[in-house]
Amino acid sequence: MKNKQSSLPKKEVESVFALYSSGEYQKAVEAIKGLNSHYPNQPLLFNLIGACYKELGELTSAAKMFEIAITLSPQYAEAHFNLGVIHQDLDHKEAAVLSYKKAIEINPNYPSAHNNLGNIYKDLGEIESSIESLEWAIAYKHDYAEAHNNLGNALYESGRVQEAIKSFEKALTHNPNYARAMFNLSLALKDVGKKKDYQKLIEKTLQLKPHWSDAQLHLSRVKKYKKKDPQIAELHSFLKQKDLILKDRINFNFTLAKVYEDIGDLDNQFKFLNEANNLRKEESGYKFEKDLRLFSKIKETFKNPPKPLTSSKIKSSKVSPIFILGMPRSGTSLVHQIVSNHQMVYGAGELTKLNKFVTPFLKESKNKEITEKNLISIRENYTNELLSLNTPESIIVDKMPLNFRYIGFILTAFPDSKIIHMNRDSMAVCWSIYKYFFPGNAYSYDQKDIAAYFLLYKDLMNFWKTKFPNKIYDLYYEKLTINQKIETQKLLKYCDLEWDENCLNFHKNTTAVKTTSAIQVKNKMYQGSSDVWKKYEAYLKPLLDGLNYYKD
């Protein structure tokens, strides 16, 4: 807040600023109202009272004050910026963008406006615009730690993980105790397989913010707890806090479940695991019927599949996708690392773009046919997203497990594409889903829901194989772990790739893996993981019954 006094009396204005600076916002409001009665057309006063209202949580009143300030002084960059902040707080993203752009138009050297604009662009999914805005923020303020951190987030989102790491490190150079940047750096290091650095930074983050439940949860994924670990009592004390928000309660319960798993107390493990999942299901409001309707709509849409695009309708492209799909925790990350370690292949990780381009067609009226024009649109939009990755490799791996829902769209829009379907023991998959916190998969917080969803998945895969025979490559996780070289050879042959010894050394792959299994797939292949669930069989009756596991 700049102290622009105009013709206002100096002492009174300084007194108001002193009240604002000391956090006495209500007193500041009363003082400003007194000044307003004598100086009714001073934009500074409206800007300042708007700032007070913001701090008091009266966002609508704050916005009105900033708007009056702008009406009185259209070139008042700070008022435009402050109005942008209010729009951002109210989740009016488009309006916030306009306000920040106006502030920057008036005053290009406005690092905070560039920074906030970059954050909104990121939220809107406009990642390149986000990166550009954040780079401007840093250009005008080289030691702007927050902007370096935000740039790291945008780069990370775009898949440029190594560049993101550098940005987080720069943020910490300018602010060594910046817990958020430290945490973000740790996650990026986890994704490239630097387990020790990941754990070290998480622990350092928790020294600064021990109550941070996100950091506690992530630490639990790499730390091995022992019975007398003082952190256990600390976690229990955090969970007992009466004013704990739901998100933190969920995180601490998941963390304590991992604690008790490590020390071999299965009863307590499931006590906290069940509580965490129950709370998360309540928070998500998940209803199985929603997925049932979606899967039914997909099958209805492809009851009579459209003809695949012919070569005459397909524009030549420099990129060709390989889709790795299946249920989460089925081994998709492992196969991504194997294939992307080939010298001709780029691993793009979990791309969300296909879902973005397909969803509108599933939301349209019932029984509406997918036209050739629709397929061309999906193909061109998706291909443009792949091209935007700017990779030297022409073959790009998209490892989004839930793309199994869209196989019909893939095989009609990309008739020559390669689809690798990961298969794994159903209990191994479903137990692992229940055990780990999957924020994006709403079905994963209840054993019955998981089993029901798995059966939907199996039914849909059978449907696709009927409609598109011999177009889907089935790879079995258990076979891959037992006969790594043979299965890898067959896999590469299916993908029309020459043999590359690097594919056997997938654990050395430096490609970032943004999944729960990021650390696991940086290790050598191991056998027996599909049987781990048997240790917990007594606690998994709803899963076993839901899957009819012993009746198949």
Side-chain angles (χ1 to χ4, degrees):
M1 184 67 59
K2 295 178 182 177
N3 190 350
K4 294 180 180 178
Q5 297 178 34
S6 185
S7 60
L8 292 166
K10 183 177 180 179
K11 278 190 176 181
E12 283 87 340
V13 172
E14 287 182 345
S15 175
V16 169
F17 272 97
L19 290 169
Y20 177 85
S21 300
S22 64
E24 297 183 76
Y25 305 118
Q26 193 58 55
K27 288 184 179 179
V29 167
E30 298 305 319
I32 296 166
K33 285 180 177 178
L35 281 171
N36 254 340
S37 64
H38 298 289
Y39 304 92
N41 296 314
Q42 291 295 328
L44 172 64
L45 294 180
F46 287 101
N47 187 53
L48 184 52
I49 198 170
C52 291
Y53 280 137
K54 178 188 182 301
E55 297 300 333
L56 290 168
E58 300 177 30
L59 301 186
T60 303
S61 296
K64 288 179 181 177
M65 295 301 104
F66 294 135
E67 287 166 353
I68 293 171
I70 290 166
T71 300
L72 293 170
S73 179
Q75 297 301 301
Y76 198 167
E78 186 182 352
H80 284 287
F81 173 82
N82 289 337
L83 181 58
V85 172
I86 297 299
H87 285 312
Q88 197 168 359
D89 288 346
L90 291 170
D91 201 33
H92 301 160
K93 292 184 175 66
E94 299 294 347
V97 166
L98 294 176
S99 291
Y100 290 137
K101 280 186 172 180
K102 186 63 179 178
I104 291 167
E105 177 188 322
I106 297 165
N107 178 16
N109 187 357
Y110 206 147
S112 297
H114 287 291
N115 177 67
N116 288 13
L117 181 59
N119 283 342
I120 293 181
Y121 277 138
K122 177 179 172 293
D123 291 343
L124 290 170
E126 299 177 32
I127 303 301
E128 292 307 313
S129 295
S130 173
I131 291 170
E132 182 181 358
S133 291
L134 292 163
E135 286 175 339
W136 274 114
I138 292 165
Y140 284 117
K141 188 178 180 183
H142 301 300
D143 62 349
Y144 197 168
E146 183 184 345
H148 281 291
N149 175 66
N150 293 335
L151 177 59
N153 286 331
L155 290 167
Y156 180 87
E157 190 78 17
S158 71
R160 294 151 65 178
V161 178
Q162 294 295 347
E163 292 177 65
I165 288 171
K166 291 178 182 178
S167 288
F168 295 137
E169 288 173 341
K170 285 181 182 177
L172 290 169
T173 298
H174 298 300
N175 182 359
N177 292 322
Y178 191 174
R180 174 59 68 177
M182 200 175 292
F183 179 67
N184 289 338
L185 176 59
S186 73
L187 298 185
L189 291 173
K190 176 203 72 172
D191 289 350
V192 296
K194 295 187 177 181
K195 180 179 177 180
K196 290 182 179 178
D197 293 331
Y198 164 55
Q199 182 169 344
K200 182 179 178 181
L201 276 170
I202 289 283
E203 289 172 341
K204 192 173 179 181
T205 300
L206 286 169
Q207 289 174 7
L208 296 169
K209 295 181 68 175
H211 292 77
W212 194 356
S213 68
D214 288 325
Q216 292 282 7
L217 179 60
H218 277 275
L219 177 61
S220 73
R221 290 174 176 170
V222 284
K223 179 175 176 177
K224 194 75 173 177
Y225 297 88
K226 296 181 180 179
K227 285 185 178 181
K228 294 184 179 180
D229 191 327
Q231 193 179 2
I232 299 174
E234 185 180 57
L235 287 164
H236 278 286
S237 69
F238 293 156
L239 195 54
K240 288 177 182 177
Q241 294 174 357
K242 293 182 179 179
D243 58 347
L244 201 63
I245 63 172
L246 183 57
K247 176 190 173 185
D248 291 339
R249 192 171 298 282
I250 292 168
N251 285 345
F252 286 135
N253 272 287
F254 272 116
T255 303
L256 281 165
K258 172 57 164 55
V259 167
Y260 286 108
E261 176 188 4
D262 286 349
I263 63 180
D265 185 340
L266 302 193
D267 284 344
N268 268 317
Q269 178 187 351
F270 273 82
K271 170 188 171 183
F272 289 103
L273 183 59
N274 291 339
E275 178 66 6
N277 278 306
N278 289 339
L279 289 171
R280 180 65 184 116
K281 180 177 179 180
E282 181 182 343
E283 181 186 46
S284 70
Y286 175 73
K287 300 292 183 185
F288 174 71
E289 290 73 19
K290 183 178 179 181
D291 277 321
L292 184 61
R293 287 194 299 271
L294 172 63
F295 281 59
S296 296
K297 180 65 186 290
I298 291 169
K299 290 173 70 174
E300 184 64 32
T301 301
F302 282 87
K303 185 177 181 179
N304 297 303
K307 292 181 179 180
L309 294 177
T310 60
S311 56
S312 62
K313 300 292 183 179
I314 297 173
K315 292 182 181 178
S316 60
S317 175
K318 296 179 181 178
V319 292
S320 176
I322 292 176
F323 296 91
I324 301 175
L325 43 76
M327 283 291 286
R329 308 301 294 167
S330 64
T332 54
S333 294
L334 171 62
V335 177
H336 173 273
Q337 292 303 90
I338 291 172
V339 178
S340 65
N341 219 30
H342 193 284
Q343 60 183 341
M344 301 295 293
V345 178
Y346 175 79
E350 295 188 351
L351 299 178
T352 59
K353 305 304 180 182
L354 187 63
N355 179 70
K356 173 184 174 183
F357 300 131
V358 165
T359 298
F361 297 110
L362 293 174
K363 287 183 177 178
E364 291 178 6
S365 60
K366 189 176 180 181
N367 298 329
K368 184 167 184 178
E369 291 185 0
I370 303 297
T371 66
E372 183 180 87
K373 185 178 179 181
N374 297 151
L375 294 175
I376 291 172
S377 173
I378 292 170
R379 181 185 177 90
E380 291 183 352
N381 285 325
Y382 182 79
T383 299
N384 287 336
E385 291 291 343
L386 296 186
L387 289 170
S388 71
L389 296 172
N390 293 317
T391 65
E393 299 88 354
S394 61
I395 301 172
I396 299 177
V397 177
D398 180 347
K399 183 214 77 90
M400 174 53 73
L402 296 185
N403 278 343
F404 76 80
R405 298 173 299 182
Y406 308 136
I407 286 176
F409 289 96
I410 294 171
L411 289 175
T412 48
F414 300 87
D416 296 325
S417 64
K418 302 296 183 181
I419 295 181
I420 302 167
H421 170 225
M422 284 306 300
N423 295 262
R424 191 180 185 186
D425 177 83
S426 59
M427 275 301 295
V429 167
C430 293
W431 154 238
S432 191
I433 289 173
Y434 188 69
K435 175 183 173 182
Y436 290 103
F437 185 12
F438 283 88
N441 296 327
Y443 64 84
S444 65
Y445 311 114
D446 179 278
Q447 292 190 39
K448 291 181 180 179
D449 288 340
I450 296 169
Y453 190 92
F454 189 90
L455 295 180
L456 272 184
Y457 144 76
K458 292 293 289 185
D459 176 70
L460 185 59
M461 287 307 305
N462 289 333
F463 173 81
W464 291 135
K465 290 172 184 178
T466 300
K467 296 297 180 182
F468 301 96
N470 304 316
K471 289 291 186 177
I472 301 166
Y473 183 81
D474 281 306
L475 181 59
Y476 294 85
Y477 176 85
E478 290 79 11
K479 286 184 179 180
L480 179 61
T481 60
I482 295 170
N483 300 304
Q484 180 185 355
K485 186 169 183 177
I486 293 173
E487 292 299 323
T488 302
Q489 287 173 332
K490 291 194 291 186
L491 174 63
L492 295 183
K493 184 178 179 180
Y494 164 74
C495 294
D496 294 328
L497 292 168
E498 298 278 337
W499 173 250
D500 187 339
E501 198 76 20
N502 290 319
C503 294
L504 294 180
N505 299 314
F506 64 89
H507 55 286
K508 296 180 181 179
N509 191 334
T510 58
T511 302
V513 184
K514 299 180 186 178
T515 66
T516 304
S517 53
I519 293 295
Q520 291 170 285
V521 297
K522 298 297 182 179
N523 298 321
K524 290 184 178 181
M525 195 173 292
Y526 59 96
Q527 300 171 14
S529 63
S530 289
D531 293 326
V532 171
W533 69 268
K534 293 178 180 177
K535 176 181 177 181
Y536 308 101
E537 185 170 350
Y539 303 87
L540 300 176
K541 191 174 185 301
L543 267 181
L544 290 163
D545 290 346
L547 294 169
N548 292 316
Y549 189 78
Y550 290 122
K551 296 176 184 178
D552 290 343

